[in-house]
mmCIF file of all heavy atoms in Angstrom:
data_model
loop_
_atom_site.group_PDB
_atom_site.id
_atom_site.type_symbol
_atom_site.label_atom_id
_atom_site.label_comp_id
_atom_site.label_asym_id
_atom_site.label_seq_id
_atom_site.Cartn_x
_atom_site.Cartn_y
_atom_site.Cartn_z
ATOM 1 N N ASP A 1266 -55.392 -3.021 53.866
ATOM 2 C CA ASP A 1266 -55.313 -2.369 55.183
ATOM 3 C C ASP A 1266 -55.183 -0.858 55.038
ATOM 4 O O ASP A 1266 -55.861 -0.105 55.741
ATOM 5 C CB ASP A 1266 -54.123 -2.900 55.985
ATOM 6 C CG ASP A 1266 -54.334 -4.316 56.486
ATOM 7 O OD1 ASP A 1266 -55.490 -4.780 56.516
ATOM 8 O OD2 ASP A 1266 -53.320 -4.958 56.846
ATOM 9 N N ARG A 1267 -54.312 -0.420 54.150
ATOM 10 C CA ARG A 1267 -54.075 1.012 53.989
ATOM 11 C C ARG A 1267 -55.305 1.741 53.453
ATOM 12 O O ARG A 1267 -55.546 2.896 53.797
ATOM 13 C CB ARG A 1267 -52.877 1.247 53.068
ATOM 14 C CG ARG A 1267 -51.576 0.911 53.756
ATOM 15 C CD ARG A 1267 -50.377 0.882 52.854
ATOM 16 N NE ARG A 1267 -50.236 1.983 51.939
ATOM 17 C CZ ARG A 1267 -49.076 2.466 51.531
ATOM 18 N NH1 ARG A 1267 -47.943 1.943 51.974
ATOM 19 N NH2 ARG A 1267 -49.019 3.452 50.663
ATOM 20 N N LEU A 1268 -56.076 1.071 52.581
ATOM 21 C CA LEU A 1268 -57.259 1.711 51.998
ATOM 22 C C LEU A 1268 -58.527 1.466 52.811
ATOM 23 O O LEU A 1268 -59.576 2.030 52.500
ATOM 24 C CB LEU A 1268 -57.465 1.227 50.558
ATOM 25 C CG LEU A 1268 -56.338 1.553 49.573
ATOM 26 C CD1 LEU A 1268 -56.660 0.985 48.197
ATOM 27 C CD2 LEU A 1268 -56.095 3.049 49.499
ATOM 28 N N GLY A 1269 -58.438 0.615 53.812
ATOM 29 C CA GLY A 1269 -59.603 0.331 54.648
ATOM 30 C C GLY A 1269 -60.661 -0.488 53.952
ATOM 31 O O GLY A 1269 -61.861 -0.296 54.180
ATOM 32 N N VAL A 1270 -60.215 -1.407 53.094
ATOM 33 C CA VAL A 1270 -61.134 -2.293 52.378
ATOM 34 C C VAL A 1270 -60.647 -3.723 52.563
ATOM 35 O O VAL A 1270 -59.605 -3.965 53.158
ATOM 36 C CB VAL A 1270 -61.213 -1.935 50.870
ATOM 37 C CG1 VAL A 1270 -61.766 -0.529 50.669
ATOM 38 C CG2 VAL A 1270 -59.859 -2.084 50.187
ATOM 39 N N THR A 1271 -61.387 -4.675 52.037
ATOM 40 C CA THR A 1271 -60.975 -6.073 52.130
ATOM 41 C C THR A 1271 -60.006 -6.420 51.002
ATOM 42 O O THR A 1271 -59.946 -5.725 49.982
ATOM 43 C CB THR A 1271 -62.186 -7.019 52.041
ATOM 44 O OG1 THR A 1271 -62.782 -6.871 50.751
ATOM 45 C CG2 THR A 1271 -63.205 -6.715 53.134
ATOM 46 N N GLN A 1272 -59.287 -7.511 51.200
ATOM 47 C CA GLN A 1272 -58.371 -7.983 50.168
ATOM 48 C C GLN A 1272 -59.133 -8.342 48.901
ATOM 49 O O GLN A 1272 -58.666 -8.112 47.791
ATOM 50 C CB GLN A 1272 -57.562 -9.175 50.694
ATOM 51 C CG GLN A 1272 -56.503 -9.694 49.733
ATOM 52 C CD GLN A 1272 -57.046 -10.749 48.784
ATOM 53 O OE1 GLN A 1272 -57.972 -11.476 49.105
ATOM 54 N NE2 GLN A 1272 -56.466 -10.809 47.612
ATOM 55 N N SER A 1273 -60.325 -8.884 49.058
ATOM 56 C CA SER A 1273 -61.123 -9.243 47.878
ATOM 57 C C SER A 1273 -61.559 -7.995 47.110
ATOM 58 O O SER A 1273 -61.685 -8.038 45.882
ATOM 59 C CB SER A 1273 -62.330 -10.100 48.265
ATOM 60 O OG SER A 1273 -63.177 -9.410 49.153
ATOM 61 N N THR A 1274 -61.766 -6.881 47.814
ATOM 62 C CA THR A 1274 -62.092 -5.623 47.140
ATOM 63 C C THR A 1274 -60.899 -5.147 46.312
ATOM 64 O O THR A 1274 -61.059 -4.713 45.168
ATOM 65 C CB THR A 1274 -62.513 -4.541 48.149
ATOM 66 O OG1 THR A 1274 -63.696 -4.988 48.818
ATOM 67 C CG2 THR A 1274 -62.775 -3.210 47.477
ATOM 68 N N VAL A 1275 -59.702 -5.243 46.884
ATOM 69 C CA VAL A 1275 -58.492 -4.866 46.139
ATOM 70 C C VAL A 1275 -58.372 -5.738 44.896
ATOM 71 O O VAL A 1275 -58.143 -5.237 43.792
ATOM 72 C CB VAL A 1275 -57.232 -4.988 47.024
ATOM 73 C CG1 VAL A 1275 -55.965 -4.785 46.202
ATOM 74 C CG2 VAL A 1275 -57.293 -3.994 48.172
ATOM 75 N N SER A 1276 -58.555 -7.038 45.053
ATOM 76 C CA SER A 1276 -58.477 -7.965 43.920
ATOM 77 C C SER A 1276 -59.504 -7.624 42.853
ATOM 78 O O SER A 1276 -59.193 -7.625 41.656
ATOM 79 C CB SER A 1276 -58.689 -9.406 44.386
ATOM 80 O OG SER A 1276 -57.634 -9.817 45.210
ATOM 81 N N ALA A 1277 -60.718 -7.322 43.281
ATOM 82 C CA ALA A 1277 -61.779 -6.988 42.326
ATOM 83 C C ALA A 1277 -61.470 -5.695 41.583
ATOM 84 O O ALA A 1277 -61.721 -5.585 40.370
ATOM 85 C CB ALA A 1277 -63.122 -6.878 43.047
ATOM 86 N N ARG A 1278 -60.916 -4.711 42.280
ATOM 87 C CA ARG A 1278 -60.565 -3.445 41.633
ATOM 88 C C ARG A 1278 -59.447 -3.641 40.604
ATOM 89 O O ARG A 1278 -59.505 -3.083 39.509
ATOM 90 C CB ARG A 1278 -60.154 -2.413 42.670
ATOM 91 C CG ARG A 1278 -61.310 -1.890 43.493
ATOM 92 C CD ARG A 1278 -60.829 -0.907 44.537
ATOM 93 N NE ARG A 1278 -61.908 -0.405 45.360
ATOM 94 C CZ ARG A 1278 -61.743 0.419 46.377
ATOM 95 N NH1 ARG A 1278 -60.520 0.836 46.697
ATOM 96 N NH2 ARG A 1278 -62.776 0.830 47.083
ATOM 97 N N VAL A 1279 -58.448 -4.435 40.975
ATOM 98 C CA VAL A 1279 -57.351 -4.700 40.040
ATOM 99 C C VAL A 1279 -57.886 -5.451 38.825
ATOM 100 O O VAL A 1279 -57.548 -5.130 37.679
ATOM 101 C CB VAL A 1279 -56.212 -5.478 40.728
ATOM 102 C CG1 VAL A 1279 -55.186 -5.978 39.710
ATOM 103 C CG2 VAL A 1279 -55.540 -4.603 41.772
ATOM 104 N N LYS A 1280 -58.727 -6.425 39.064
ATOM 105 C CA LYS A 1280 -59.307 -7.190 37.961
ATOM 106 C C LYS A 1280 -60.120 -6.277 37.040
ATOM 107 O O LYS A 1280 -60.020 -6.372 35.812
ATOM 108 C CB LYS A 1280 -60.193 -8.315 38.500
ATOM 109 C CG LYS A 1280 -60.782 -9.186 37.431
ATOM 110 C CD LYS A 1280 -61.595 -10.314 38.025
ATOM 111 C CE LYS A 1280 -62.193 -11.177 36.926
ATOM 112 N NZ LYS A 1280 -62.987 -12.289 37.476
ATOM 113 N N ALA A 1281 -60.905 -5.380 37.617
ATOM 114 C CA ALA A 1281 -61.707 -4.455 36.810
ATOM 115 C C ALA A 1281 -60.813 -3.542 35.973
ATOM 116 O O ALA A 1281 -61.095 -3.293 34.800
ATOM 117 C CB ALA A 1281 -62.625 -3.621 37.708
ATOM 118 N N LEU A 1282 -59.735 -3.060 36.575
ATOM 119 C CA LEU A 1282 -58.809 -2.198 35.842
ATOM 120 C C LEU A 1282 -58.119 -2.978 34.731
ATOM 121 O O LEU A 1282 -57.990 -2.487 33.601
ATOM 122 C CB LEU A 1282 -57.789 -1.595 36.802
ATOM 123 C CG LEU A 1282 -56.808 -0.585 36.210
ATOM 124 C CD1 LEU A 1282 -57.539 0.599 35.576
ATOM 125 C CD2 LEU A 1282 -55.849 -0.098 37.291
ATOM 126 N N GLU A 1283 -57.687 -4.195 35.032
ATOM 127 C CA GLU A 1283 -57.052 -5.026 34.011
ATOM 128 C C GLU A 1283 -58.012 -5.334 32.871
ATOM 129 O O GLU A 1283 -57.617 -5.312 31.701
ATOM 130 C CB GLU A 1283 -56.523 -6.319 34.636
ATOM 131 C CG GLU A 1283 -55.311 -6.092 35.521
ATOM 132 C CD GLU A 1283 -54.801 -7.333 36.211
ATOM 133 O OE1 GLU A 1283 -55.619 -8.261 36.509
ATOM 134 O OE2 GLU A 1283 -53.600 -7.394 36.469
ATOM 135 N N GLN A 1284 -59.271 -5.564 33.181
ATOM 136 C CA GLN A 1284 -60.257 -5.820 32.128
ATOM 137 C C GLN A 1284 -60.484 -4.572 31.288
ATOM 138 O O GLN A 1284 -60.584 -4.656 30.060
ATOM 139 C CB GLN A 1284 -61.571 -6.306 32.725
ATOM 140 C CG GLN A 1284 -61.483 -7.725 33.245
ATOM 141 C CD GLN A 1284 -62.757 -8.189 33.922
ATOM 142 O OE1 GLN A 1284 -63.573 -7.387 34.379
ATOM 143 N NE2 GLN A 1284 -62.922 -9.493 34.025
ATOM 144 N N ALA A 1285 -60.546 -3.420 31.933
ATOM 145 C CA ALA A 1285 -60.751 -2.167 31.191
ATOM 146 C C ALA A 1285 -59.573 -1.881 30.262
ATOM 147 O O ALA A 1285 -59.763 -1.364 29.149
ATOM 148 C CB ALA A 1285 -60.949 -1.005 32.159
ATOM 149 N N LEU A 1286 -58.370 -2.218 30.716
ATOM 150 C CA LEU A 1286 -57.170 -1.972 29.911
ATOM 151 C C LEU A 1286 -56.821 -3.137 28.994
ATOM 152 O O LEU A 1286 -55.908 -3.031 28.167
ATOM 153 C CB LEU A 1286 -55.979 -1.690 30.837
ATOM 154 C CG LEU A 1286 -56.078 -0.419 31.662
ATOM 155 C CD1 LEU A 1286 -54.947 -0.365 32.684
ATOM 156 C CD2 LEU A 1286 -56.053 0.807 30.767
ATOM 157 N N GLU A 1287 -57.531 -4.235 29.190
ATOM 158 C CA GLU A 1287 -57.318 -5.454 28.404
ATOM 159 C C GLU A 1287 -55.872 -5.940 28.483
ATOM 160 O O GLU A 1287 -55.246 -6.288 27.476
ATOM 161 C CB GLU A 1287 -57.744 -5.244 26.942
ATOM 162 C CG GLU A 1287 -59.211 -4.918 26.794
ATOM 163 C CD GLU A 1287 -59.650 -4.696 25.363
ATOM 164 O OE1 GLU A 1287 -58.790 -4.736 24.451
ATOM 165 O OE2 GLU A 1287 -60.851 -4.488 25.160
ATOM 166 N N THR A 1288 -55.337 -5.963 29.700
ATOM 167 C CA THR A 1288 -53.980 -6.444 29.926
ATOM 168 C C THR A 1288 -53.806 -6.853 31.379
ATOM 169 O O THR A 1288 -54.631 -6.522 32.222
ATOM 170 C CB THR A 1288 -52.932 -5.369 29.548
ATOM 171 O OG1 THR A 1288 -51.654 -5.986 29.488
ATOM 172 C CG2 THR A 1288 -52.916 -4.216 30.520
ATOM 173 N N THR A 1289 -52.750 -7.558 31.660
ATOM 174 C CA THR A 1289 -52.399 -7.941 33.023
ATOM 175 C C THR A 1289 -51.395 -6.933 33.558
ATOM 176 O O THR A 1289 -50.386 -6.650 32.909
ATOM 177 C CB THR A 1289 -51.793 -9.360 33.039
ATOM 178 O OG1 THR A 1289 -52.750 -10.269 32.492
ATOM 179 C CG2 THR A 1289 -51.426 -9.783 34.443
ATOM 180 N N LEU A 1290 -51.681 -6.364 34.714
ATOM 181 C CA LEU A 1290 -50.819 -5.333 35.293
ATOM 182 C C LEU A 1290 -49.861 -5.872 36.342
ATOM 183 O O LEU A 1290 -48.801 -5.282 36.571
ATOM 184 C CB LEU A 1290 -51.688 -4.233 35.919
ATOM 185 C CG LEU A 1290 -52.607 -3.497 34.954
ATOM 186 C CD1 LEU A 1290 -53.578 -2.611 35.716
ATOM 187 C CD2 LEU A 1290 -51.793 -2.700 33.951
ATOM 188 N N PHE A 1291 -50.225 -6.972 36.997
ATOM 189 C CA PHE A 1291 -49.416 -7.528 38.082
ATOM 190 C C PHE A 1291 -49.210 -9.025 37.897
ATOM 191 O O PHE A 1291 -50.092 -9.728 37.405
ATOM 192 C CB PHE A 1291 -50.098 -7.314 39.438
ATOM 193 C CG PHE A 1291 -50.229 -5.883 39.845
ATOM 194 C CD1 PHE A 1291 -51.402 -5.191 39.651
ATOM 195 C CD2 PHE A 1291 -49.152 -5.227 40.437
ATOM 196 C CE1 PHE A 1291 -51.524 -3.857 40.036
ATOM 197 C CE2 PHE A 1291 -49.266 -3.896 40.822
ATOM 198 C CZ PHE A 1291 -50.456 -3.218 40.618
ATOM 199 N N ARG A 1292 -48.033 -9.496 38.324
ATOM 200 C CA ARG A 1292 -47.768 -10.921 38.470
ATOM 201 C C ARG A 1292 -47.905 -11.217 39.954
ATOM 202 O O ARG A 1292 -47.227 -10.592 40.783
ATOM 203 C CB ARG A 1292 -46.343 -11.270 38.018
ATOM 204 C CG ARG A 1292 -46.193 -11.428 36.527
ATOM 205 C CD ARG A 1292 -44.792 -11.896 36.160
ATOM 206 N NE ARG A 1292 -43.759 -10.921 36.516
ATOM 207 C CZ ARG A 1292 -43.466 -9.839 35.801
ATOM 208 N NH1 ARG A 1292 -44.134 -9.583 34.702
ATOM 209 N NH2 ARG A 1292 -42.510 -9.003 36.190
ATOM 210 N N ARG A 1293 -48.760 -12.147 40.289
ATOM 211 C CA ARG A 1293 -49.018 -12.473 41.678
ATOM 212 C C ARG A 1293 -48.331 -13.789 42.030
ATOM 213 O O ARG A 1293 -48.411 -14.745 41.261
ATOM 214 C CB ARG A 1293 -50.517 -12.604 41.913
ATOM 215 C CG ARG A 1293 -51.303 -11.327 41.608
ATOM 216 C CD ARG A 1293 -52.641 -11.703 40.966
ATOM 217 N NE ARG A 1293 -53.500 -10.566 40.713
ATOM 218 C CZ ARG A 1293 -53.602 -9.958 39.548
ATOM 219 N NH1 ARG A 1293 -52.876 -10.341 38.517
ATOM 220 N NH2 ARG A 1293 -54.425 -8.947 39.386
ATOM 221 N N SER A 1294 -47.704 -13.825 43.187
ATOM 222 C CA SER A 1294 -47.094 -15.063 43.666
ATOM 223 C C SER A 1294 -47.081 -15.034 45.194
ATOM 224 O O SER A 1294 -47.401 -14.018 45.805
ATOM 225 C CB SER A 1294 -45.663 -15.194 43.139
ATOM 226 O OG SER A 1294 -44.811 -14.262 43.770
ATOM 227 N N ARG A 1295 -46.673 -16.131 45.781
ATOM 228 C CA ARG A 1295 -46.597 -16.180 47.248
ATOM 229 C C ARG A 1295 -45.544 -15.215 47.775
ATOM 230 O O ARG A 1295 -45.623 -14.749 48.896
ATOM 231 C CB ARG A 1295 -46.279 -17.589 47.714
ATOM 232 C CG ARG A 1295 -47.433 -18.524 47.500
ATOM 233 C CD ARG A 1295 -47.098 -19.906 47.992
ATOM 234 N NE ARG A 1295 -48.179 -20.803 47.618
ATOM 235 C CZ ARG A 1295 -48.668 -21.701 48.430
ATOM 236 N NH1 ARG A 1295 -48.173 -21.847 49.626
ATOM 237 N NH2 ARG A 1295 -49.647 -22.468 48.024
ATOM 238 N N ALA A 1296 -44.552 -14.921 46.951
ATOM 239 C CA ALA A 1296 -43.476 -14.017 47.356
ATOM 240 C C ALA A 1296 -43.903 -12.550 47.318
ATOM 241 O O ALA A 1296 -43.235 -11.688 47.864
ATOM 242 C CB ALA A 1296 -42.264 -14.219 46.460
ATOM 243 N N GLY A 1297 -45.014 -12.275 46.659
ATOM 244 C CA GLY A 1297 -45.493 -10.899 46.568
ATOM 245 C C GLY A 1297 -46.098 -10.610 45.216
ATOM 246 O O GLY A 1297 -46.470 -11.514 44.481
ATOM 247 N N THR A 1298 -46.150 -9.346 44.909
ATOM 248 C CA THR A 1298 -46.778 -8.882 43.679
ATOM 249 C C THR A 1298 -45.785 -7.999 42.940
ATOM 250 O O THR A 1298 -45.202 -7.093 43.522
ATOM 251 C CB THR A 1298 -48.051 -8.080 44.019
ATOM 252 O OG1 THR A 1298 -48.920 -8.912 44.781
ATOM 253 C CG2 THR A 1298 -48.771 -7.626 42.781
ATOM 254 N N ASP A 1299 -45.605 -8.276 41.662
ATOM 255 C CA ASP A 1299 -44.708 -7.484 40.830
ATOM 256 C C ASP A 1299 -45.461 -6.944 39.636
ATOM 257 O O ASP A 1299 -46.399 -7.569 39.136
ATOM 258 C CB ASP A 1299 -43.538 -8.333 40.328
ATOM 259 C CG ASP A 1299 -42.593 -8.739 41.421
ATOM 260 O OD1 ASP A 1299 -42.221 -7.863 42.227
ATOM 261 O OD2 ASP A 1299 -42.226 -9.934 41.478
ATOM 262 N N LEU A 1300 -45.032 -5.773 39.180
ATOM 263 C CA LEU A 1300 -45.621 -5.191 37.979
ATOM 264 C C LEU A 1300 -45.160 -5.946 36.739
ATOM 265 O O LEU A 1300 -43.989 -6.332 36.644
ATOM 266 C CB LEU A 1300 -45.208 -3.726 37.841
ATOM 267 C CG LEU A 1300 -45.908 -2.731 38.738
ATOM 268 C CD1 LEU A 1300 -45.180 -1.399 38.720
ATOM 269 C CD2 LEU A 1300 -47.345 -2.551 38.300
ATOM 270 N N THR A 1301 -46.069 -6.118 35.804
ATOM 271 C CA THR A 1301 -45.695 -6.616 34.489
ATOM 272 C C THR A 1301 -45.124 -5.445 33.700
ATOM 273 O O THR A 1301 -45.157 -4.287 34.156
ATOM 274 C CB THR A 1301 -46.925 -7.167 33.743
ATOM 275 O OG1 THR A 1301 -47.859 -6.087 33.556
ATOM 276 C CG2 THR A 1301 -47.587 -8.309 34.501
ATOM 277 N N THR A 1302 -44.629 -5.719 32.522
ATOM 278 C CA THR A 1302 -44.147 -4.645 31.645
ATOM 279 C C THR A 1302 -45.268 -3.648 31.374
ATOM 280 O O THR A 1302 -45.053 -2.430 31.410
ATOM 281 C CB THR A 1302 -43.622 -5.230 30.319
ATOM 282 O OG1 THR A 1302 -42.576 -6.150 30.617
ATOM 283 C CG2 THR A 1302 -43.114 -4.146 29.399
ATOM 284 N N GLU A 1303 -46.466 -4.156 31.152
ATOM 285 C CA GLU A 1303 -47.618 -3.289 30.900
ATOM 286 C C GLU A 1303 -47.955 -2.466 32.132
ATOM 287 O O GLU A 1303 -48.319 -1.296 32.035
ATOM 288 C CB GLU A 1303 -48.833 -4.119 30.458
ATOM 289 C CG GLU A 1303 -48.657 -4.796 29.128
ATOM 290 C CD GLU A 1303 -47.849 -6.093 29.181
ATOM 291 O OE1 GLU A 1303 -47.471 -6.543 30.288
ATOM 292 O OE2 GLU A 1303 -47.581 -6.656 28.106
ATOM 293 N N GLY A 1304 -47.831 -3.078 33.312
ATOM 294 C CA GLY A 1304 -48.067 -2.358 34.561
ATOM 295 C C GLY A 1304 -47.083 -1.227 34.746
ATOM 296 O O GLY A 1304 -47.449 -0.126 35.175
ATOM 297 N N LEU A 1305 -45.821 -1.484 34.415
ATOM 298 C CA LEU A 1305 -44.806 -0.433 34.488
ATOM 299 C C LEU A 1305 -45.132 0.719 33.543
ATOM 300 O O LEU A 1305 -44.985 1.887 33.892
ATOM 301 C CB LEU A 1305 -43.427 -1.009 34.146
ATOM 302 C CG LEU A 1305 -42.792 -1.874 35.219
ATOM 303 C CD1 LEU A 1305 -41.594 -2.624 34.654
ATOM 304 C CD2 LEU A 1305 -42.378 -1.024 36.408
ATOM 305 N N ARG A 1306 -45.590 0.386 32.354
ATOM 306 C CA ARG A 1306 -45.965 1.424 31.383
ATOM 307 C C ARG A 1306 -47.161 2.241 31.870
ATOM 308 O O ARG A 1306 -47.230 3.441 31.649
ATOM 309 C CB ARG A 1306 -46.307 0.791 30.036
ATOM 310 C CG ARG A 1306 -45.126 0.310 29.269
ATOM 311 C CD ARG A 1306 -45.545 -0.153 27.879
ATOM 312 N NE ARG A 1306 -44.515 -0.996 27.308
ATOM 313 C CZ ARG A 1306 -44.720 -2.157 26.723
ATOM 314 N NH1 ARG A 1306 -45.951 -2.625 26.593
ATOM 315 N NH2 ARG A 1306 -43.728 -2.859 26.248
ATOM 316 N N PHE A 1307 -48.100 1.560 32.510
ATOM 317 C CA PHE A 1307 -49.320 2.232 32.955
ATOM 318 C C PHE A 1307 -49.093 3.112 34.181
ATOM 319 O O PHE A 1307 -49.811 4.086 34.379
ATOM 320 C CB PHE A 1307 -50.420 1.199 33.245
ATOM 321 C CG PHE A 1307 -51.717 1.819 33.657
ATOM 322 C CD1 PHE A 1307 -52.446 2.608 32.782
ATOM 323 C CD2 PHE A 1307 -52.206 1.632 34.937
ATOM 324 C CE1 PHE A 1307 -53.640 3.199 33.167
ATOM 325 C CE2 PHE A 1307 -53.401 2.212 35.336
ATOM 326 C CZ PHE A 1307 -54.120 2.998 34.447
ATOM 327 N N GLU A 1308 -48.090 2.799 34.974
ATOM 328 C CA GLU A 1308 -47.881 3.526 36.233
ATOM 329 C C GLU A 1308 -47.778 5.032 36.028
ATOM 330 O O GLU A 1308 -48.422 5.809 36.749
ATOM 331 C CB GLU A 1308 -46.631 3.018 36.949
ATOM 332 C CG GLU A 1308 -46.398 3.712 38.272
ATOM 333 C CD GLU A 1308 -45.147 3.252 38.981
ATOM 334 O OE1 GLU A 1308 -44.433 2.359 38.470
ATOM 335 O OE2 GLU A 1308 -44.883 3.797 40.067
ATOM 336 N N THR A 1309 -47.006 5.475 35.074
ATOM 337 C CA THR A 1309 -46.859 6.915 34.811
ATOM 338 C C THR A 1309 -48.200 7.543 34.453
ATOM 339 O O THR A 1309 -48.547 8.618 34.936
ATOM 340 C CB THR A 1309 -45.850 7.151 33.673
ATOM 341 O OG1 THR A 1309 -44.607 6.574 34.052
ATOM 342 C CG2 THR A 1309 -45.666 8.628 33.386
ATOM 343 N N HIS A 1310 -48.957 6.866 33.614
ATOM 344 C CA HIS A 1310 -50.273 7.374 33.219
ATOM 345 C C HIS A 1310 -51.222 7.422 34.410
ATOM 346 O O HIS A 1310 -52.003 8.370 34.551
ATOM 347 C CB HIS A 1310 -50.859 6.520 32.099
ATOM 348 C CG HIS A 1310 -50.043 6.540 30.860
ATOM 349 N ND1 HIS A 1310 -50.024 7.609 29.993
ATOM 350 C CD2 HIS A 1310 -49.188 5.628 30.350
ATOM 351 C CE1 HIS A 1310 -49.208 7.352 28.997
ATOM 352 N NE2 HIS A 1310 -48.682 6.151 29.188
#
């Protein structure tokens, strides 16, 4: 909503970034989305 794109676009972008970095950045669940340790490390960069 904030970026004006579809949820599937957000998912595809995250997947592309995770593939480029060869790691998982988020843990997804019904309760929400949390950063993995790798995601926390990448945030500053």
Side-chain angles (χ1 to χ4, degrees):
D1266 288 342
R1267 287 170 46 148
L1268 298 179
V1270 297
T1271 64
Q1272 184 271 331
S1273 60
T1274 298
V1275 172
S1276 294
R1278 288 178 181 177
V1279 170
K1280 182 177 179 180
L1282 184 58
E1283 289 177 330
Q1284 287 176 338
L1286 295 171
E1287 298 179 357
T1288 193
T1289 301
L1290 299 170
F1291 295 98
R1292 278 185 296 280
R1293 300 142 176 98
S1294 71
R1295 290 181 187 223
T1298 303
D1299 292 313
L1300 284 167
T1301 62
T1302 302
E1303 294 81 4
L1305 286 168
R1306 286 187 198 133
F1307 182 65
E1308 182 182 359
T1309 302
H1310 298 284

